[in-house]
Amino acid sequence: SFVLTQPPSVSVAPGQTARMTCGGNDIGRTGVHWYQQKPGQAPVVVVYDDSHRPSGIPERFTGSKSANTATLTISRVEVEDEADYYCQVWDIFTDQRVFGGGTKLTVL
Amino acid sequence: EVNLVESGGGLVQPGGSLRVSCVGSGFIFSDYEMNWVRQAPGKGLEWVSYISSSGNIKYYADSVKGRFTFSRDNTRNSLFLQMDSLRVEDTGVYFCARSDKSGWHYFDSWGQGTLVTVSS
């Protein structure tokens, strides 16, 4: 089954670019989705199917994927972007949904 | 506006049972596949279970298979998660989450969650 690996933490200064990765074998055969979760709140999808942005999500949020690694990039980081970010996939062989362990983004 | 509201959480002893519910509004409930996702205190997200729009197809995470049962009542726009043989490690916030309709199986709307605490 899928195992998705995310770095526990990423730190960036306001105005800079944050990059968060999500690695896993066979990640290339399924879409990768990204969620933002702020303390005490439910998660919100910020990128779906590798690189698509839902309506209402700023263009600063972009997703990409290459080989066994997906990346969420936040350009011109703002203080309000500080949150936990999770990647997620659908395992087409088991029909299970799988989350990565999450990355805590700290805006210094 | 899509709205999902969970209820039924509480304190239960190990080995006990609890049923949590979720009511949906603002969309055609019977058209959508739904899920439960949980989050242990201070930990990450864990997908728990999926149910098809009609309720005929269900999938479970290995960690809950055989102990949890997911059902729905489309006449009442409601979901139910029956949790039996509860363990301390089942403690957490339980979110209901709607599956997208694009076929990529991501969660496009979430409730605010209900807290389940398993402790003696």
Side-chain angles (χ1 to χ4, degrees), chain B residues 48-105:
Chain B
V48 172
S49 187
Y50 155 96
I51 193 167
S52 63
S53 56
S54 66
N56 291 340
I57 300 172
K58 305 169 191 182
Y59 300 112
Y60 298 93
D62 292 342
S63 57
V64 306
K65 202 172 295 182
R67 300 187 299 120
F68 287 15
T69 303
F70 194 176
S71 61
R72 66 189 295 164
D73 182 345
N74 286 339
T75 66
R76 295 161 54 193
N77 286 4
S78 295
L79 306 173
F80 307 100
L81 186 67
Q82 176 67 41
M83 301 182 289
D84 298 320
S85 302
L86 282 161
R87 305 168 180 167
V88 170
E89 54 265 35
D90 294 319
T91 294
V93 175
Y94 283 71
F95 298 98
C96 62
R98 191 179 78 169
S99 287
D100 73 291
K101 295 201 79 174
S102 68
W104 282 108
H105 299 279

Side-chain angles (χ1 to χ4, degrees), chain A residues 2 11-12 17-18 35 39 50 56 65 71 77-78 80-81 94 105:
Chain A
F2 269 107
S11 298
V12 66
T17 298
Y35 302 86
D50 298 338
K65 189 171 71 179
T71 302
V77 167
E78 301 177 1
E80 66 182 30
D81 298 331
T94 66
L105 175 65

Side-chain angles (χ1 to χ4, degrees), chain A residues 76-104:
Chain A
R76 303 179 301 283
V77 167
E78 301 177 1
V79 172
E80 66 182 30
D81 298 331
E82 187 164 284
D84 294 324
Y85 291 85
Y86 296 91
C87 60
Q88 177 252 318
V89 300
W90 169 52
D91 186 337
I92 64 174
F93 294 119
T94 66
D95 269 310
Q96 303 230 324
R97 286 74 173 148
V98 180
F99 285 97
T103 296
K104 181 175 181 58

